[in-house]
Amino acid sequence: MPSVVNSHNEWDPLEEVIVGRVEGAAVPPFDVAVKANTYPRYWDFFERHGGEPFPEELVRAAAADLDELCTVLKGEGVTVRRPEVVDWSRRYETPDFASSGLYGAMPRDFMMVVGNEIIEAPMAWRSRFFEYRAYRELIKDYFQRGARWTAAPKPTMGDELYDADYPIDAVEERHALAAEGRFCTTEFEPCFDAADFTRMGRDIFVQRSQVTNRFGIEWMRRHLGDAYRLQVLRFEDPNPMHMDATFVPIGPGRVLVNPERPCLDLELFRRSGWEILTPPDSLIPADHPLYMSSRWLSMNVLMIDERRVLVEKHEEPTARMFEQLGIRPIRVGFRNFNSFGGSFHCATCDVRRRGELETYFDHGDPA
Ligand code: GLY
């Protein structure tokens, strides 16, 4: 019997997917980790509204985008599951900090499927401490139907996890620190967001980012064991958070690399004959609100299989790129959802793709 949870890469035929929910979303309290990953033009918004529900009209419009995404996925033959609706504006206090929540809109950040296992990420934002509450009904169900289920060690998120001296306002300094692998999270305890990983069969890639530290990467390496090679990729990016608008595989042997965040570790890909593709610039208008992301959400696509991809309907150059590659773009309006920090890849977590665990790289191992 094939497992109810089974996914080894980003492109095998998609059979079942979780699509997030934006209802109940709250503006995260404006702490150092949030500041490190948001843009100065929105800092006033976070200062004034941290802890409040996101404006209702934004939530309603984004929820409609998600509903449309679900309809399209179902039309393509994919089973869609949704998390619980939670009121994320409720305040909470642990022995180490007080906060309120964010949302259950981005399953990609919270959970990772590796083979038949669901791994809950020990995320670094205090506003995401209780994000698992949106997904537990789903995960219990998958577990009861045979999936493996692991929650990585929950961080305390005490002050020691954050570098109080991190130069939030000094962009040049952040560039220099990023080159040394230093970000706003320390190595006090393991933390990672699942979206800092990308799965390509037996090879899984990860970046050290504002929310994923080396301790978290090491936890994952030992957890995955000998069946996988977990490799750290470095990018010229002063502000990394989530790899899926930076380095996006679109099939066995093809990867999109963000031209503003060059990858410093492409040797394995070149040696293995992978095509390194530069996606076109995003068409998100300069005045479109993007509270928690860059404009590169245009490359945050979801492969339905090697021949079908979800592309935002205004991103015609990206759609044309896929057509030229022989991949059919399925255009879906997602601009309202984009304002919450993600696009199709962020908003989903593929639970089951039809395929086996394979190797796509030449490691030069002895035969
Ligand atoms: N979090 C990815 C980006 O903002 O581009």
Side-chain angles (χ1 to χ4, degrees):
M1 271 288 282
S3 176
V4 65
V5 169
N6 179 72
S7 183
H8 299 289
N9 58 48
E10 306 286 342
W11 56 77
D12 275 344
L14 185 62
E15 294 184 340
E16 182 159 333
V17 70
I18 297 174
V19 174
R21 275 195 191 277
V22 72
E23 294 91 336
V27 181
F30 196 39
D31 58 25
V32 60
V34 174
K35 199 166 178 184
N37 263 103
T38 50
Y39 293 85
R41 63 188 274 214
Y42 297 108
W43 287 353
D44 183 51
F45 172 82
F46 285 104
E47 297 268 30
R48 282 192 291 123
H49 299 291
E52 296 173 10
F54 257 95
E56 208 180 305
E57 64 282 5
L58 295 185
V59 172
R60 207 174 313 117
D65 279 1
L66 285 170
D67 288 345
E68 176 60 15
L69 170 62
C70 294
T71 303
V72 170
L73 283 164
K74 286 176 198 164
E76 296 296 324
V78 179
T79 300
V80 174
R81 308 285 304 271
R82 308 294 302 271
E84 304 292 302
V85 174
V86 173
D87 173 7
W88 299 102
S89 66
R90 270 177 63 185
R91 278 195 70 75
Y92 46 81
E93 198 172 328
T94 78
D96 301 291
F97 68 92
S99 184
S100 49
L102 176 62
Y103 49 40
M106 309 288 177
R108 187 73 57 182
D109 301 352
F110 164 70
M111 60 194 276
M112 178 166 160
V113 171
V114 180
N116 66 354
E117 181 178 19
I118 296 170
I119 301 172
E120 295 186 13
M123 293 191 287
W125 280 19
R126 288 172 168 173
S127 53
R128 310 194 80 171
F129 189 83
F130 286 110
E131 208 157 298
Y132 64 86
R133 294 178 69 245
Y135 300 95
R136 279 285 165 91
E137 288 307 312
L138 282 175
I139 298 177
K140 282 191 288 184
D141 176 57
Y142 288 127
F143 178 77
Q144 273 153 356
R145 292 194 288 142
R148 293 194 296 142
W149 175 15
T150 302
K154 201 87 184 125
T156 64
M157 297 189 189
D159 290 344
E160 299 93 332
L161 182 57
Y162 309 98
D163 180 353
D165 298 324
Y166 186 73
I168 295 279
D169 300 301
V171 174
E172 284 311 312
E173 239 177 287
R174 282 163 76 159
H175 268 282
L177 289 181
E180 293 168 20
R182 255 189 72 193
F183 299 98
C184 77
T185 43
T186 67
E187 297 296 331
F188 175 67
E189 57 191 344
C191 64
F192 60 82
D193 278 13
D196 272 323
F197 294 79
T198 183
R199 303 153 308 150
M200 306 187 206
R202 290 193 186 276
D203 291 271
I204 298 182
F205 298 89
V206 61
Q207 65 173 352
R208 171 54 164 121
S209 78
Q210 301 283 19
V211 292
T212 294
N213 62 12
R214 281 184 291 281
F215 208 162
I217 294 170
E218 186 53 28
W219 181 89
M220 183 64 97
R221 185 192 312 285
R222 291 191 207 173
H223 179 73
L224 291 173
D226 294 340
Y228 294 90
R229 287 181 208 245
L230 180 63
Q231 296 168 73
V232 178
L233 296 180
R234 293 165 303 144
F235 300 91
E236 279 179 34
D237 183 358
N239 203 26
M241 178 170 169
H242 305 160
M243 223 203 277
D244 51 359
T246 298
F247 194 81
V248 177
I250 55 168
R254 276 177 177 159
V255 62
L256 305 180
V257 182
N258 184 323
E260 287 181 4
R261 300 169 185 164
C263 181
L264 304 175
D265 299 299
L266 285 174
E267 174 48 30
L268 176 64
F269 290 83
R270 294 213 169 94
R271 187 172 70 234
S272 307
W274 278 58
E275 267 179 272
I276 318 285
L277 301 163
T278 304
D281 200 0
S282 165
L283 296 185
I284 297 181
D287 61 354
H288 186 78
L290 290 175
Y291 293 102
M292 284 176 277
S293 75
S294 73
R295 296 171 65 249
W296 283 102
L297 296 180
S298 49
M299 60 185 285
N300 188 253
V301 295
L302 181 72
M303 303 305 296
I304 295 185
D305 56 29
E306 287 180 40
R307 292 278 165 260
R308 289 176 294 169
V309 61
L310 294 179
V311 177
E312 212 290 329
K313 74 175 183 192
H314 301 92
E315 299 289 353
E316 206 37 47
T318 301
R320 274 202 303 276
M321 172 193 72
F322 280 111
E323 275 165 354
Q324 280 159 12
L325 293 169
I327 298 170
R328 177 163 68 88
I330 299 168
R331 295 165 173 84
V332 181
F334 221 47
R335 280 286 185 261
N336 299 308
F337 184 83
N338 290 163
S339 297
F340 287 83
S343 201
F344 305 112
H345 195 260
C346 299
T348 56
C349 176
D350 39 303
V351 167
R352 197 169 62 258
R353 288 182 183 270
R354 199 170 56 251
E356 309 280 322
L357 182 60
E358 291 185 31
T359 301
Y360 303 99
F361 292 92
D362 170 11
H363 290 282
D365 298 334

